[in-house]
């Protein structure tokens, strides 16, 4: 039987990966790997093992859910053992020989892997699942994006910060530079000399790679918000071709992985609370950009679960494609 390991199995994304494997009825022997302090812990009937150089012997596939530094430590061990890795960290996303994949967008790139496929950033996944059908029809040249990113994006500690500060605002944050409860923080990642954060660059760099379009321009502002686990994004796109709002709405009605919630007169639109703990990306508030008389721009609002489709589910979907190819 196929053996699948989850590296970082005790984290928020690692535990969600395990749940997604179960939900999708993927039959395999499972190996849960984490740090030495988690060794012996039981998760859903599986005993956590310490992640060591010998952990990947006999493993066919690895789902990676560790931070960049830890990922770079164990990746050579997995490659030496002959594993195929689907990695959720940003460590290898922009490497030329590593496919960066959203199955609804560019699953054909999976076949070009050399033992490693990268999972995109959560905000990029949520945006491109919605935008891909529009890009195919109208060819998006430029995007202006504001993200409203949940505390789950900062892991367990981010969730704990919000929980603690809802109860007592005086409890200091550990994951964020400021109080997150009842507040917004317009920073995710360090800023460069242009005043752009690492998180903001990801939207342009990753979308360019998956759309195979180095001319794409993205201006992104990332904001951390006191929401548990679903990211929201306000997006305006400028396209090569003229955009018809009703046609765009129809395209999104049939787009894979997307649910249209677009009846604002009846107060129907995407909200992070509604998208929690499921895999579709909700989209609505689809409208003409009234500042553009050429009808080449469109504005919309979308939401998606950051832990699921923004991370764990996307990785498991890639794994499913790998398993299909080997049947």
């Amino acid at each position: 039987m196929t053996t699948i390991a989850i590296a970082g199995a005790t984290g928020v994304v690692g535990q969600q990966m395990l749940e997604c494997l179960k939900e999708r009825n993927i039959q395999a022997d499972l190996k849960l790997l984490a740090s030495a302090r988690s060794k012996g812990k039981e998760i859903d009937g599986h005993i956590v093992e310490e992640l060591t150089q010998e952990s990947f012997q006999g493993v066919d596939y690895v789902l990676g859910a560790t931070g960049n530094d830890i990922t770079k430590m164990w990746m050579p061990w997995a490659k030496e053992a002959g594993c195929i890795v689907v990695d959720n960290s940003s460590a290898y996303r922009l490497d030329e020989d590593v496919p960066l994949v959203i199955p609804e967008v560019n699953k054909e790139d999976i076949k070009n892997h050399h033992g490693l496929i990268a999972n995109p950033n959560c905000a990029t996944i949520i945006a491109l699942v919605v935008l891909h059908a529009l890009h195919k029809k109208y060819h998006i040249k430029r995007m202006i994006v504001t993200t409203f990113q949940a505390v789950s994006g900062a892991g367990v500690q981010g969730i704990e910060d919000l929980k603690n500060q809802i109860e007592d605002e005086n409890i200091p944050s550990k994951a964020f530079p400021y109080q997150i409860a009842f507040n917004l923080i317009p920073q995710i990642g360090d800023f460069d000399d242009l005043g752009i954060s690492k998180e903001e660059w990801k939207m342009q760099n990753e979308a360019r790679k998956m759309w195979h379009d180095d001319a794409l321009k993205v201006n992104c502002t990332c904001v951390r918000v006191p929401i548990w686990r679903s990211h929201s994004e306000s997006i305006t796109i400028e396209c090569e071709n003229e955009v018809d709002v009703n046609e765009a709405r129809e395209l999104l009605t049939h787009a894979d992985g997307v649910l249209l919630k677009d009846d604002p007169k009846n107060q129907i639109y995407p909200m992070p609370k509604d998208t929690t703990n499921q895999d579709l990306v909700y989209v609505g508030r689809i409208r003409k950009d009234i500042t553009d008389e050429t009808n080449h721009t469109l504005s919309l609002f979308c939401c998606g679960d950051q832990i699921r489709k923004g991370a764990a589910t996307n990785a498991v979907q890639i794994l499913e494609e790998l398993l299909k190819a080997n049947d």
Side-chain angles (χ1 to χ4, degrees):
M1 182 177 281
T2 300
T3 299
I4 299 170
I6 300 176
T10 58
V12 174
V13 173
Q15 291 188 60
Q16 185 64 67
M17 286 173 169
L18 179 61
E19 184 64 26
C20 288
L21 290 172
K22 183 179 177 181
E23 289 174 359
R24 291 172 175 266
N25 198 29
I26 295 177
Q27 301 297 313
D29 289 329
L30 297 180
K31 194 171 188 179
L32 305 190
L33 304 173
S35 64
R37 66 178 178 273
S38 296
K39 181 180 178 181
K41 182 178 180 180
E42 183 177 334
I43 301 177
D44 197 25
H46 302 280
I47 302 300
V48 176
E49 302 176 26
E50 181 181 355
L51 198 165
T52 69
Q53 191 165 355
E54 289 74 39
S55 294
F56 301 99
Q57 298 302 316
V59 172
D60 300 294
Y61 300 95
V62 182
L63 297 174
T66 58
N68 287 4
D69 292 343
I70 301 299
T71 298
K72 289 178 180 179
M73 177 191 74
W74 63 256
M75 191 65 68
W77 304 341
K79 285 186 176 181
E80 186 178 353
C83 305
I84 299 176
V85 179
V86 182
D87 178 40
N88 192 62
S89 81
S90 62
Y92 301 98
R93 284 178 188 158
L94 299 182
D95 285 18
E96 188 174 344
D97 63 344
V98 177
L100 183 67
V101 174
I102 302 169
E104 294 89 345
V105 173
N106 63 324
K107 69 179 179 181
E108 65 278 2
D109 288 348
I110 293 173
K111 66 179 183 294
N112 300 322
H113 78 83
H114 302 283
L116 173 60
I117 301 104
N119 221 30
N121 181 49
C122 45
T124 306
I125 291 174
I126 290 164
L128 263 63
V129 166
V130 167
L131 296 178
H132 188 58
L134 302 178
H135 181 60
K136 287 195 295 182
K137 180 68 177 180
Y138 304 119
H139 187 85
I140 297 170
K141 300 189 303 180
R142 180 169 172 257
M143 297 161 47
I144 300 174
V145 183
T146 301
T147 71
F148 307 92
Q149 296 183 220
V151 294
S152 57
V156 173
Q157 191 57 69
I159 295 170
E160 287 298 314
D161 279 351
L162 179 56
K163 180 180 178 181
N164 291 338
Q165 291 169 5
I166 287 173
E167 296 176 359
D168 182 354
E169 292 184 52
N170 296 315
I171 297 176
S173 292
K174 294 183 178 179
F176 309 114
Y178 297 99
Q179 173 187 322
I180 187 58
F182 318 107
N183 193 26
L184 305 176
I185 303 173
Q187 176 184 2
I188 303 177
D190 297 330
F191 294 112
D192 62 14
D193 292 341
L194 296 173
I196 301 172
S197 74
K198 289 182 178 180
E199 187 81 0
E200 290 160 354
W201 277 118
K202 291 175 184 177
M203 184 73 73
Q204 174 172 282
N205 294 337
E206 295 179 12
R208 282 181 171 185
K209 183 171 181 176
M210 285 180 284
W211 278 343
H212 305 283
D213 183 0
D214 289 340
L216 176 70
K217 296 179 180 179
V218 180
N219 183 34
C220 186
T221 301
C222 291
V223 183
R224 187 72 71 188
V225 298
I227 297 293
W228 293 115
R229 57 181 285 163
S230 278
H231 289 356
S232 303
E233 303 183 23
S234 175
I235 303 174
T236 295
I237 56 172
E238 178 185 355
C239 301
E240 187 75 37
N241 304 315
E242 189 170 343
V243 178
D244 180 271
V245 174
N246 290 328
E247 183 182 50
R249 206 174 272 121
E250 183 67 16
L251 288 168
L252 291 169
T253 299
H254 301 289
D256 191 17
V258 174
L259 180 64
L260 186 70
K261 301 281 281 188
D262 192 35
D263 186 3
K265 289 183 179 179
N266 290 304
Q267 299 179 329
I268 295 173
Y269 30 67
M271 293 183 290
K273 185 175 183 295
D274 294 337
T275 61
T276 294
N277 202 29
Q278 56 82 58
D279 292 324
L280 296 174
V281 181
Y282 289 16
V283 62
R285 297 295 320 280
I286 300 164
R287 63 202 186 277
K288 172 184 168 63
D289 174 6
I290 60 172
T291 69
D292 173 30
E293 297 178 358
T294 68
N295 293 323
H296 284 249
T297 56
L298 187 76
S299 295
L300 55 83
F301 189 80
C302 60
C303 302
D305 189 302
Q306 177 270 328
I307 301 172
R308 291 189 64 107
K309 183 54 188 169
T313 301
N314 197 77
V316 172
Q317 287 176 301
I318 295 170
L319 174 62
E320 286 179 318
E321 295 296 329
L322 291 166
L323 293 170
K324 287 179 193 174
N326 288 333
D327 279 347

